[in-house]
Amino acid sequence: MGFDFEGAPGSSFPGWKADAAPGLPDYVLDADAVLKDEGVNWRHGRAPDYSKTRKIWAETKKASHTAGSLPDLVEKLVKNWEIEASYKVDLADWRTIDRSTYKFSVNGGPDQTGEDMLKVGTYNAIIEPNEFYCPMRSSFDASHKTFKRMMPSFAWEVLEVYAGPPKVVMKWRHWGTMKEDYVGVNKGENVRIKAHGGPIDIEGIAVAVVNDKLQVQKIEVFFDPMAMFRQMAPHGDEGVTKQVPEKVEA
């Protein structure tokens, strides 16, 4: 498999042409390809169910990409990468990355390895400490419970692709509905934000370097880390409670 940058009639991105579809990996052709992997050590003992999230994506997405176009392939690659990062507990089972070079960073911060993400979790790898949440005080499983309980489905899409590959530059969107109260911890307080039942919708940029197998070698994510929290508490302190935990006497 290889890339042809001389142009492709009908491609949605000038200068891009992939080899014939049979030569492409399944994780860029099917958004749920890695869910079908066998012999995998899944978090919680089985493959997760993304059917509700995919339904919301189909019903409320902003972009519609032609099947096989670069934005379509990139979107499916990232969705499979997110599944693996969130639910495959052994890095050796991640098919969407080049394990020899893989690095991840947020807003120009330090590189994180796959092992780092397996320790802290995808939410903690992306969210910076703030008045509502502290990733250092929440485990992988606790962070997922905090955000998935509040917003059971958090759909993701590629809005535009500006360059690529091997360096793919994309604009993305992540959205859902705040159905339950947010219950989390900051550096010293338990925090609750009353659910408003409305949308949470954030956008950002990602730059991903891929190899000739379309595996991610490096991905840099850029976004406003407080955008989600501002939408969770759109009226400032209204509906927000913070409480210092009581110390337990020995």
Side-chain angles (χ1 to χ4, degrees):
M1 184 185 74
F3 309 124
D4 180 352
F5 293 95
E6 295 181 357
S11 172
S12 65
F13 187 81
W16 155 263
K17 182 173 69 176
D19 284 345
L24 291 172
D26 61 346
Y27 49 76
V28 301
L29 301 174
D30 175 0
D32 297 322
V34 300
L35 292 175
K36 305 175 180 71
D37 291 353
E38 298 180 354
V40 169
N41 186 9
W42 291 105
R43 194 174 301 277
H44 312 307
R46 64 180 185 274
D49 182 359
Y50 273 71
S51 59
K52 291 181 180 178
T53 299
R54 299 296 186 247
K55 183 175 185 291
I56 289 173
W57 167 82
E59 293 174 348
T60 59
K61 62 182 178 175
K62 289 184 177 179
S64 293
H65 305 302
T66 302
S69 67
L70 182 57
D72 176 66
L73 301 179
V74 170
E75 183 172 277
K76 289 169 179 172
L77 168 61
V78 175
K79 287 181 176 180
N80 279 295
W81 166 80
E82 185 275 328
I83 292 170
E84 294 193 314
S86 296
Y87 292 102
K88 286 186 175 181
V89 300
D90 294 331
L91 197 64
D93 290 331
W94 293 23
R95 297 195 288 122
T96 57
I97 67 167
D98 182 343
R99 293 192 298 275
S100 66
T101 62
Y102 175 75
K103 295 289 187 296
F104 174 88
S105 68
V106 179
N107 292 336
D111 286 340
Q112 303 177 56
T113 65
E115 288 86 354
D116 293 332
M117 188 169 281
L118 281 173
K119 290 177 183 176
V120 302
T122 48
Y123 286 102
N124 288 338
I126 292 174
I127 299 173
E128 298 177 358
N130 60 71
E131 64 175 300
F132 303 109
Y133 185 76
C134 180
M136 284 78 78
R137 297 195 63 215
S138 189
S139 68
F140 191 129
D141 287 338
S143 65
H144 274 243
K145 288 179 181 177
T146 291
F147 293 102
K148 290 183 180 297
R149 183 182 295 118
M150 174 192 77
M151 186 166 48
S153 296
F154 203 14
W156 189 92
E157 68 174 330
V158 166
L159 295 175
E160 297 181 78
V161 173
Y162 303 116
K167 179 177 280 190
V168 181
V169 182
M170 72 192 86
K171 182 178 182 180
W172 53 263
R173 174 179 175 237
H174 215 358
W175 76 101
T177 301
M178 188 179 184
K179 293 189 174 183
E180 301 291 341
D181 289 0
Y182 165 81
V183 181
V185 293
N186 61 19
K187 290 184 178 180
E189 300 168 309
N190 295 327
V191 181
R192 179 182 291 269
I193 305 175
K194 187 173 178 57
H196 52 60
I200 294 175
D201 199 324
I202 61 176
E203 296 182 3
I205 298 292
V207 180
V209 178
V210 299
N211 63 16
D212 62 355
K213 297 178 182 178
L214 295 180
Q215 292 173 315
V216 177
Q217 296 180 308
K218 182 176 182 179
I219 183 165
E220 301 171 272
V221 175
F222 301 92
F223 77 117
D224 178 353
M226 290 304 295
M228 178 173 68
F229 293 97
R230 284 197 299 271
Q231 293 177 54
M232 288 160 53
H235 305 296
D237 291 336
E238 183 180 331
V240 178
T241 58
K242 298 177 182 177
Q243 185 175 21
V244 177
E246 293 183 4
K247 292 184 178 180
V248 178
E249 296 290 338

